[in-house]
Amino acid sequence: GVDFKDLSTFTKKENEGFVGTMYAFSGDANILNDPDTFTYYVPSNIDKCTTYYYDTSFNYTGTGNFFNIVDTPNSYLVFMGGDEQIIKVKTNVKNGRKLCIVKDSYGNAEPPYYMNGFEEIYVVDMRYFNLNLVDFVKQMGVTDLLFTMVSYSAVGENADNLENLRTQAKGQKIVDEALTAKNED
């Protein structure tokens, strides 16, 4: 029952010269000398969306763009600027649906595809989220929960983070400071 727009309604963007984090970690000239084209898609309603940024404990740090201008080798940072924050996207959709995406870095590219289907989208990285996920989902009124990550995060060393999401910081009252800041303006 959630509306998903056809890819043809998105604006295709490309950055030439993308080498990714493998080059950043290795410095291998073979990677640098064989760059790729980084392609991503911007939803048609992006100008009607507001992106709120929070630290990993959900303290409001400000609004900004979901898509960021970055240097080409680090093009993957175009999505939210990285992993170590919580993001909320308020869209122009009016259907009462709120999505929480629990992801590792592989999930960074997904939120734009949901911006035409949900009123709000929360994006949390399973490695850096400092709250109890069950409490967060309940207190934010989340209607839909999506886990999107590479299989290594679900069964490898990062898997402990999934259990932490369920057990850490139970019973904490979670306040969306962006709502308070907006009401004070």
Side-chain angles (χ1 to χ4, degrees):
V2 177
D3 186 28
F4 291 96
K5 299 292 184 190
D6 188 86
L7 194 58
S8 65
T9 67
F10 289 69
T11 301
K12 181 178 180 179
K13 302 270 189 165
E14 293 183 336
N15 289 346
E16 298 293 334
F18 175 63
V19 293
T21 55
M22 185 60 75
Y23 174 71
F25 289 132
S26 71
D28 187 326
N30 291 315
I31 297 171
L32 182 63
N33 295 328
D34 191 19
D36 203 349
T37 300
F38 182 83
T39 304
Y40 63 100
Y41 296 87
V42 178
S44 59
N45 67 333
I46 192 66
D47 61 333
K48 296 176 182 85
C49 297
T50 304
T51 303
Y52 300 87
Y53 284 83
Y54 305 81
D55 67 15
T56 57
S57 296
F58 204 57
N59 298 303
Y60 176 63
T61 59
T63 59
N65 296 319
F66 181 87
F67 294 99
N68 296 281
I69 297 171
V70 296
D71 64 336
T72 300
N74 295 318
S75 289
Y76 206 65
L77 295 176
V78 75
F79 307 110
M80 306 173 293
D83 296 317
E84 293 188 43
Q85 66 247 341
I86 299 168
I87 306 298
K88 176 176 78 174
V89 179
K90 182 117 176 97
T91 73
N92 62 326
V93 174
K94 303 294 180 214
N95 64 3
R97 304 285 291 268
K98 293 182 182 182
L99 172 65
C100 181
I101 300 172
V102 179
K103 53 99 185 158
D104 59 13
S105 62
Y106 287 90
N108 289 3
E110 282 194 43
Y113 300 104
Y114 309 122
M115 289 181 186
N116 285 296
F118 294 90
E119 277 191 37
E120 291 182 7
I121 301 168
Y122 294 91
V123 184
V124 303
D125 193 295
M126 48 104 56
R127 299 164 296 173
Y128 307 112
F129 191 67
N130 293 329
L131 302 172
N132 182 278
L133 184 62
V134 176
D135 290 342
F136 183 81
V137 165
K138 287 178 180 177
Q139 293 179 39
M140 294 302 109
V142 170
T143 59
D144 298 83
L145 182 61
L146 171 67
F147 288 83
T148 179
M149 58 197 67
V150 68
S151 58
Y152 176 78
S153 287
V155 297
E157 287 180 22
N158 285 337
D160 290 343
N161 294 317
L162 293 172
E163 180 64 12
N164 291 342
L165 293 175
R166 190 182 68 77
T167 59
Q168 68 190 3
K170 279 185 175 181
Q172 182 177 0
K173 181 171 172 40
I174 302 168
V175 177
D176 187 345
E177 294 173 350
L179 295 176
T180 305
K182 186 176 180 182
N183 290 335
E184 291 173 359
D185 291 341

